[in-house]
Amino acid sequence: TASSERPGETTLAAASSSSDSETGGASPPPRKKPRASAAEGAGGSGYSARTPALACRPHGRDMQANGAGQGSDAEARNGDASCAEGTHSNGLTAASGDGGSALKKQKRLSLPEEDVVRLIGQHLHDLGLGQTVDLLMQESGCRLEHPAATKFRSHVMEGEWEKAESDLNELKALMHSPGAVVVSPCEFNLFRMGVCMKFLLLQQKYLEYLEDGRALEALQVLRAELTPLKYNTERIHLLSGYLMCSHPEDLRAKAEWEGKGTASRSELLDKLQTYLPPTVMLPPHRLQTLLRQAVELQRDRCLYHNTKLDSSLDAAPVSLLLDHVCSRNQFPCYTQQVLTEHCNEVWFCKFSNDGTKLATGSKDTTVIVWHVDKETHQLKQLKTLEGHAYGVSYLAWSPEDTYLIACGPDDCSELWLWNVQTGELRTKMSQSHEDSLTSVAWNPDGKRFVTGGQRGQFYQCDLDGNLLDSWEGVRVQCLWCSNDGRTVLASDTHQRVRGYNFEDLTDRNIVQEDHPIMSFTVSKSGRLALLNVATQGVHLWDLQDRVLVRKYQGVTQGFYTIHSCFGGHNEDFIASGSEDHKVYIWHKRSELPIAELTGHTRTVNCVSWNPAWPGLMASASDDGTVRIWGPAPVLDAHDPEECSSMDS
């Protein structure tokens, strides 16, 4: 039987069969097969300057491999079309042995497998391994991109603009393919897409002419080619202004363009590709994009991931060989320090906005300001602010951390505004002895604040305590100022959170609960609100959509005022005190706690997460202590004490 092997490309099956018959079954090591020439290949990588030979696609029916009916006649009877010299695009070759010819068929690649081969080929090409790509495409029978796209890519990268324009007409027919930018490509949409692609091409041509000093030719492109397209007239007016640029540097700066060369032309190709289906031309760096998305998804699903997300795959901690998993030992659920300087119940704690200081307020009538060491994260007492006769139940740092406002419990009618840097009392405000000023929030400008209480007071004041505006009849439980400085959110005794605008004197309902709202806090983005609801626990609300997102379980919340917080990197976590003496931590997406921190012996009133160091957290308790939580010490990294965890 005539052999169908290609010269210089013996298949492994044929080599094994031949050597076995000659040596009685002991086959010598296979010889290195010579590399096939470009003319012999079934298909090229698609990135070379030449147009690769198109490989024939195998039909769905299998070819007979029992030794009967070989040759072209048998193939015709089986419905399989043969390619030149018996080689198919998926690597199928006909082999012969001493005992007769037999066709060996490799596994036909499925569509996902072909996609993977193309992705690998593109990545290898980006690494400069062009010969490896050619061999991969040749052996797999795949092609990296459509031949028309290969021609187009070559002409664009070489700056052969007339040929590239001609290639566009051939590519227009391929826009009907699945995966194109238009799902239902009607003639009008195809026309607009073709115009847009031509516009981008001519724009690059125009800018390169200008950079080369060929002003007359650039003007001809603008008048005779770009303007007649009647596309993006505003952009054409802008392009015409570049004719006045006297130097190439001025042109590149005004056009925000990298200049003539590989970089700008590659960027142009990336834009043009978005109008073509991926079966014709792959999106740039597609494998890298998919791997990065996989890494980000794993990090996003990791319950204890609490560090900055680095989207680059070149980052040192990233490994594609293992799934991403963070250890609980790196999470702030171990007691790092216990502060015992207060001599009575500690009602509130709050880190400064820059994370370098912690303020704690107590029933013992003092506020203690602590300094956070940037290296060791240990806290040292910095200042003690005294004289709050009723105790301190709420604290608020100014946006620049220059001032600190202290409020007292329900029967306190006074408010203290301290200069933290000097330790001096700037303002002691009291509008009436019958007032109850229990909560406060700073305006983002740092020059105003709002305060109020459950006896119906709701004031806006300046730094000297002068009354700027007031809202009558609002029994305030907790306050927050929006990032735009116009709207103030206030929870009241009607189990709701309302928005108040002091400029146009309007108000609206945002959140309505069925039980009293003891406190609430808002995320940095202003989108999410965290509510401690009496007898219900901690609730997460979307303020924009005005819907309840999640109810977090585990915490014991009665009618004590307990303050929860957002925290961790990107505010992915939520922490709250509890009447069962514990601190609970949840991942924002999970209703079950991922950690329960023990150590306090009475109700935990407040929790504050450091905004600068995501691995640092503080909690204040009726037991008179403030606990600082951090990662496990290196020596005790496997010690399970003080932290229990439940995976959700």
Side-chain angles (χ1 to χ4, degrees):
T1 328
S3 172
S4 60
E5 294 173 7
R6 182 174 301 177
E9 196 171 48
T10 305
T11 63
L12 184 59
S16 175
S17 174
S18 176
S19 60
D20 285 355
S21 63
E22 293 173 4
T23 63
S27 58
R31 291 172 296 175
K32 182 177 180 181
K33 64 178 179 181
R35 184 180 169 203
S37 64
E40 295 171 336
S45 68
Y47 274 100
S48 57
R50 65 187 184 280
T51 303
L54 291 179
C56 296
R57 303 297 299 169
H59 292 281
R61 298 179 59 184
D62 292 342
M63 299 178 65
Q64 294 181 352
N66 57 4
Q70 306 298 333
S72 58
D73 293 339
E75 291 174 3
R77 286 195 302 271
N78 286 330
D80 285 316
S82 62
C83 296
E85 301 182 7
T87 302
H88 288 282
S89 63
N90 66 348
L92 178 63
T93 60
S96 64
D98 291 344
S101 64
L103 289 176
K104 304 293 184 181
K105 182 177 180 181
Q106 294 181 359
K107 177 185 176 184
R108 181 182 177 182
L109 298 182
S110 64
L111 183 59
E113 289 171 335
E114 288 187 4
D115 290 344
V116 171
V117 170
R118 293 182 66 206
L119 293 173
I120 294 173
Q122 184 194 47
H123 184 64
L124 292 175
H125 179 271
D126 292 342
L127 296 177
L129 304 177
Q131 295 181 356
T132 306
V133 177
D134 290 339
L135 290 175
L136 175 62
M137 296 298 113
Q138 186 177 354
E139 186 172 357
S140 65
C142 300
R143 64 186 181 196
L144 205 51
E145 59 184 15
H146 196 279
T150 303
K151 281 196 305 179
F152 182 61
R153 178 189 298 277
S154 176
H155 292 152
V156 170
M157 293 305 295
E158 294 298 326
E160 299 178 353
W161 305 117
E162 287 73 19
K163 293 182 179 180
E165 287 183 56
S166 177
D167 295 335
L168 279 181
N169 296 324
E170 187 175 353
L171 291 173
K172 285 180 183 177
L174 303 175
M175 293 181 185
H176 288 280
S177 304
V181 89
V182 178
V183 178
S184 302
C186 64
E187 290 301 322
F188 175 76
N189 283 330
L190 289 175
F191 173 76
R192 294 291 293 174
M193 290 164 60
V195 170
C196 183
M197 294 179 72
K198 188 173 182 179
F199 182 88
L200 293 172
L201 207 63
L202 293 173
Q203 177 181 248
Q204 178 79 10
K205 177 181 176 182
Y206 169 76
L207 291 173
E208 290 194 8
Y209 280 175
L210 282 182
E211 187 182 40
D212 290 341
R214 300 158 65 179
L216 291 178
E217 294 175 71
L219 183 61
Q220 179 67 15
V221 172
L222 186 67
R223 288 179 174 177
E225 299 184 67
L226 276 169
T227 303
L229 292 177
K230 297 181 180 179
Y231 177 82
N232 203 345
T233 307
E234 183 179 348
R235 178 64 179 170
I236 290 179
H237 291 162
L238 192 61
L239 290 173
S240 64
Y242 299 154
L243 287 165
M244 307 303 295
C245 296
S246 55
H247 301 286
E249 294 80 7
D250 188 27
L251 170 66
R252 289 192 290 268
K254 288 185 177 180
E256 297 179 353
W257 178 61
E258 293 191 50
K260 177 181 178 180
T262 303
S264 64
R265 291 173 181 175
S266 296
E267 185 178 347
L268 171 63
L269 274 173
D270 291 348
K271 293 178 181 177
L272 293 170
Q273 186 280 325
T274 60
Y275 296 93
L276 297 171
T279 52
V280 176
M281 181 184 286
L282 282 174
H285 315 298
R286 182 59 183 162
L287 182 60
Q288 288 283 88
T289 300
L290 291 174
L291 292 174
R292 183 171 61 252
Q293 291 173 353
V295 170
E296 291 175 355
L297 180 62
Q298 288 188 21
R299 286 171 165 174
D300 191 45
R301 290 180 175 179
C302 178
L303 290 177
Y304 297 104
H305 190 82
N306 193 27
T307 57
K308 183 178 181 181
L309 290 177
D310 191 341
S311 59
S312 172
L313 293 178
D314 297 328
V318 175
S319 172
L320 301 178
L321 306 180
L322 295 171
D323 287 345
H324 176 83
V325 178
C326 287
S327 168
R328 193 180 74 239
N329 294 330
Q330 303 168 352
F331 204 69
C333 59
Y334 297 85
T335 300
Q336 180 174 296
Q337 195 175 356
V338 180
L339 309 179
T340 59
E341 277 70 8
H342 285 293
C343 57
N344 210 325
E345 298 174 358
V346 185
W347 289 339
F348 202 84
C349 63
K350 185 71 174 178
F351 280 106
S352 59
N353 297 295
D354 63 6
T356 61
K357 291 180 283 292
L358 173 71
T360 57
S362 172
K363 186 178 179 180
D364 65 7
T365 74
T366 67
V367 172
I368 299 181
V369 179
W370 310 81
H371 173 72
V372 182
D373 188 279
K374 294 182 180 180
E375 300 296 330
T376 65
H377 295 171
Q378 291 290 304
L379 276 68
K380 293 183 179 179
Q381 186 171 344
L382 187 64
K383 288 183 176 66
T384 300
L385 312 176
E386 301 177 335
H388 310 85
Y390 294 91
V392 179
S393 62
Y394 198 87
L395 295 164
W397 291 90
S398 65
E400 299 298 326
D401 295 328
T402 304
Y403 299 105
L404 181 68
I405 294 180
C407 298
D410 292 343
D411 51 354
C412 179
S413 62
E414 298 175 329
L415 176 148
W416 294 264
L417 194 155
W418 295 90
N419 186 318
V420 180
Q421 297 176 350
T422 64
E424 297 177 353
L425 179 64
R426 169 160 180 168
T427 303
K428 183 178 180 181
M429 192 193 87
S430 178
Q431 295 295 324
S432 168
H433 292 294
E434 296 181 355
D435 283 355
S436 173
L437 304 181
T438 59
S439 185
V440 67
W442 284 90
N443 190 286
D445 63 12
K447 300 176 181 179
R448 296 170 290 164
F449 61 87
V450 290
T451 183
Q454 292 192 10
R455 296 180 183 174
Q457 294 76 39
F458 191 7
Y459 305 135
Q460 182 171 222
C461 308
D462 62 17
L463 295 180
D464 295 320
N466 298 317
L467 189 63
L468 302 178
D469 294 291
S470 64
W471 210 291
E472 298 296 331
V474 181
R475 299 181 179 274
V476 174
Q477 179 73 21
C478 197
L479 294 166
W480 177 80
C481 281
S482 65
N483 295 330
D484 61 10
R486 299 181 58 189
T487 304
V488 178
L489 299 188
S491 61
D492 56 30
T493 54
H494 295 284
Q495 305 167 5
R496 62 189 181 183
V497 175
R498 292 179 64 82
Y500 298 86
N501 191 314
F502 277 92
E503 294 183 4
D504 55 19
L505 300 179
T506 59
D507 62 320
R508 59 194 177 98
N509 205 48
I510 298 177
V511 171
Q512 181 67 60
E513 286 279 1
D514 296 328
H515 298 80
I517 301 172
M518 307 309 296
S519 69
F520 78 92
T521 186
V522 180
S523 62
K524 290 180 181 178
S525 66
R527 177 72 183 264
L528 300 175
L530 202 59
L531 281 63
N532 283 73
V533 183
T535 71
Q536 301 301 301
V538 181
H539 291 180
L540 182 69
W541 280 79
D542 187 316
L543 298 178
Q544 181 174 313
D545 296 337
R546 304 184 193 181
V547 295
L548 176 63
V549 177
R550 197 160 287 113
K551 296 181 179 181
Y552 297 102
Q553 302 177 21
V555 66
T556 303
Q557 169 73 67
F559 289 90
Y560 285 105
T561 299
I562 294 177
H563 300 273
S564 56
C565 69
F566 293 94
H569 184 74
N570 202 34
E571 293 193 329
D572 284 334
F573 301 97
I574 288 167
S576 177
S578 176
E579 293 180 20
D580 63 3
H581 315 164
K582 296 179 183 178
V583 174
Y584 287 84
I585 301 177
W586 300 266
H587 196 285
K588 193 163 56 178
R589 298 189 313 270
S590 175
E591 294 182 354
L592 297 177
I594 62 173
E596 301 173 12
L597 314 187
T598 59
H600 286 294
T601 58
R602 293 183 63 187
T603 297
V604 181
N605 300 306
C606 184
V607 178
S608 179
W609 212 304
N610 193 295
W613 297 289
L616 198 63
M617 187 173 63
S619 59
S621 170
D622 282 347
D623 63 12
T625 68
V626 176
R627 283 184 174 257
I628 307 300
W629 306 89
V634 177
L635 296 178
D636 300 328
H638 301 289
D639 184 5
E641 295 293 328
E642 296 186 349
C643 180
S644 59
S645 170
M646 294 185 296
D647 285 344
S648 58

